[in-house]
Amino acid sequence: DTSEREPTYRMKLQISISKHHRHQTPSTTMTTVDGEAPPMMALSSIKSINTSIKKEDEFRTYSITDTSERVIQHYKDMRTNQTVEFYNRMEKKYSFENGAYRRLMTIDEAFVELENYIDASDPDMDLPNLLHLLQTAEGIRNAGHPDWLQLVGLLHDVGKIMFLWGDGADGQDGYSPKGKQWALGGDTWVVGCRIPNEAVVFPEFNPLNPDMSNSQYNTKYGMYEPNCGLDDLKFAWGHDEYMYRMLVANDCSIPREGLDMVRYHSAYPWHDKGAYRHLMKPDDYERIKWVQLFNKFDLYTKDGNNELRGEKMKEQLWPYYLGLLEKYGLGGKLKW
């Protein structure tokens, strides 16, 4: 158990989930054995995790002239269709309220479904999503981070399982890289206020969004109050929000820092470009650091030559992660 090697990460977690909160947000208090806050590794010190032959400045390069046509079309569709109305409709469709769910299955069964899913929005890798999840988890594990963070690495993209219940009309066709996936993956931004041109990829598509012609939504604050806080914001609907809600609905014991990583890792305008500071509460500035830490592993462990499937996964990796799933309350059949 890696927790034996990580005394500074030992935590006491107290999670209370309000059934009446719109976003079902857990509140968490955390202390370490010595009474100090968990250490935050300097972001500049973990660049060596890059396992790809690509240089770091070659990741996430988006331009009309150099980016693949499928990725450009993905973001054009995303910017055109991701609105407040669409978010509200998906929130209702994928609700877990009053015991609702779409299917019962184990994480193992979900991975079987995801084995052939390829993300149409990712310019850095044309490989099944399961391989990326294993690469991320193993990168975190090899860096000596706690087991709950390793588990987040394994699970962070599993929300793309929405393709089982979606279709191309709602941007959730995950059966083909040519399918419409604008509500499964891609950088998310806050709907319900002005889309920041300086913080999103392909800002030339922003005028295509219907909300940007609505005076209720096209201003700096839009439908939000100043400094309302991260949990009151509606980011473009995708696998992040769905998976966060799924984990909460199944009463997992992953700490809030881990749940934030799941929920906000695609929000690049926020955690990478500095947007939406006028909507953040003071404690959101600490929360963003954890998402930024996770993002380094999410991004720089994408490696087509880093093969973790086959016998190695079956005999070495999967038994280890099955143990983590049990430890954090995600063993057996879960609500999806």
Side-chain angles (χ1 to χ4, degrees):
D1 189 334
T2 57
S3 62
E4 295 179 358
R5 304 195 308 268
E6 301 155 351
T8 57
Y9 269 98
R10 294 177 193 164
M11 304 171 185
K12 288 197 306 181
L13 302 174
Q14 188 177 36
I15 301 178
S16 62
I17 302 171
S18 171
K19 295 181 180 179
H20 304 290
H21 193 287
R22 175 167 59 85
H23 287 306
Q24 300 175 292
T25 303
S27 60
T28 309
T29 58
M30 175 174 58
T31 58
T32 61
V33 291
D34 56 4
E36 296 180 357
M40 175 53 60
M41 183 183 293
L43 296 181
S44 60
S45 70
I46 58 175
K47 289 185 178 180
S48 61
I49 66 171
N50 188 353
T51 62
S52 173
I53 61 174
K54 296 174 67 172
K55 297 179 180 179
E56 291 177 22
D57 60 4
E58 294 175 339
F59 285 89
R60 289 186 50 79
T61 56
Y62 297 93
S63 71
I64 290 293
T65 55
D66 299 328
T67 304
S68 70
E69 182 178 348
R70 69 177 172 86
V71 174
I72 294 173
Q73 186 61 50
H74 174 91
Y75 278 100
K76 184 177 182 180
D77 291 339
M78 197 175 183
R79 214 62 52 79
T80 301
N81 294 287
Q82 287 276 4
T83 63
V84 173
E85 185 278 331
F86 179 77
Y87 181 101
N88 292 339
R89 184 155 55 86
M90 292 300 102
E91 183 178 41
K92 182 177 181 180
K93 176 178 179 178
Y94 292 104
S95 173
F96 290 93
E97 290 185 359
N98 301 317
Y101 61 88
R102 284 132 296 280
R103 181 171 165 182
L104 288 173
M105 60 180 164
T106 64
I107 294 290
D108 202 357
E109 291 168 336
F111 278 142
V112 171
E113 298 286 358
L114 284 169
E115 176 66 27
N116 295 311
Y117 179 93
I118 297 177
D119 191 344
S121 70
D122 192 341
D124 295 316
M125 191 168 70
D126 277 317
L127 290 171
N129 222 250
L130 176 57
L131 179 56
H132 165 55
L133 296 177
L134 285 169
Q135 289 175 346
T136 305
E138 283 296 282
I140 294 169
R141 182 183 180 186
N142 292 335
H145 287 295
D147 57 7
W148 62 261
L149 209 161
Q150 299 165 31
L151 187 58
V152 167
L154 186 72
L155 298 177
H156 73 281
D157 277 348
V158 177
K160 292 170 184 176
I161 201 76
M162 283 191 298
F163 79 87
L164 294 179
W165 308 289
D167 53 36
D170 284 338
Q172 294 166 10
D173 176 5
Y175 288 101
S176 167
K178 296 182 180 179
K180 296 293 185 180
Q181 299 177 9
W182 50 262
L184 289 174
D187 294 6
T188 60
W189 67 93
V190 176
V191 299
C193 65
R194 181 189 302 142
I195 303 173
N197 288 334
E198 69 282 0
V200 297
V201 299
F202 303 118
E204 56 267 41
F205 295 147
N206 289 353
L208 300 176
N209 190 286
D211 286 353
M212 295 305 95
S213 299
N214 186 331
S215 60
Q216 182 181 358
Y217 302 137
N218 64 6
T219 62
K220 179 179 179 180
Y221 290 97
M223 66 182 189
Y224 303 104
E225 295 295 325
N227 306 116
C228 59
L230 185 61
D231 294 324
D232 281 345
L233 304 180
K234 296 184 176 185
F235 284 84
W237 185 271
H239 69 281
D240 313 59
E241 184 67 22
Y242 168 77
M243 192 61 188
Y244 162 79
R245 290 169 182 251
M246 177 271 181
L247 292 172
V248 172
N250 284 282
D251 297 321
C252 81
S253 57
I254 294 173
R256 188 183 76 169
E257 290 74 13
L259 294 177
D260 280 349
M261 293 170 184
V262 172
R263 193 178 194 184
Y264 301 117
H265 69 272
S266 296
Y268 279 87
W270 172 64
H271 67 67
D272 186 53
K273 300 300 183 182
Y276 308 121
R277 296 303 187 261
H278 58 293
L279 299 174
M280 291 170 62
K281 289 181 177 178
D283 69 340
D284 292 338
Y285 288 90
E286 184 63 26
R287 296 171 68 183
I288 196 174
K289 295 177 183 178
W290 290 92
V291 180
Q292 290 168 335
L293 172 64
F294 173 78
N295 177 251
K296 290 287 185 178
F297 293 94
D298 185 19
L299 186 60
Y300 296 131
T301 55
K302 295 177 180 177
D303 181 3
N305 296 317
N306 183 356
E307 184 59 67
L308 297 174
R309 291 173 293 181
E311 290 303 310
K312 182 174 182 179
M313 183 185 78
K314 182 179 179 181
E315 297 179 3
Q316 300 178 31
L317 301 184
W318 195 237
Y320 172 76
Y321 288 107
L322 281 177
L324 296 189
L325 290 168
E326 290 288 345
K327 178 177 179 179
Y328 289 96
L330 294 170
K333 296 284 187 178
L334 303 171
K335 296 179 288 187
W336 295 83

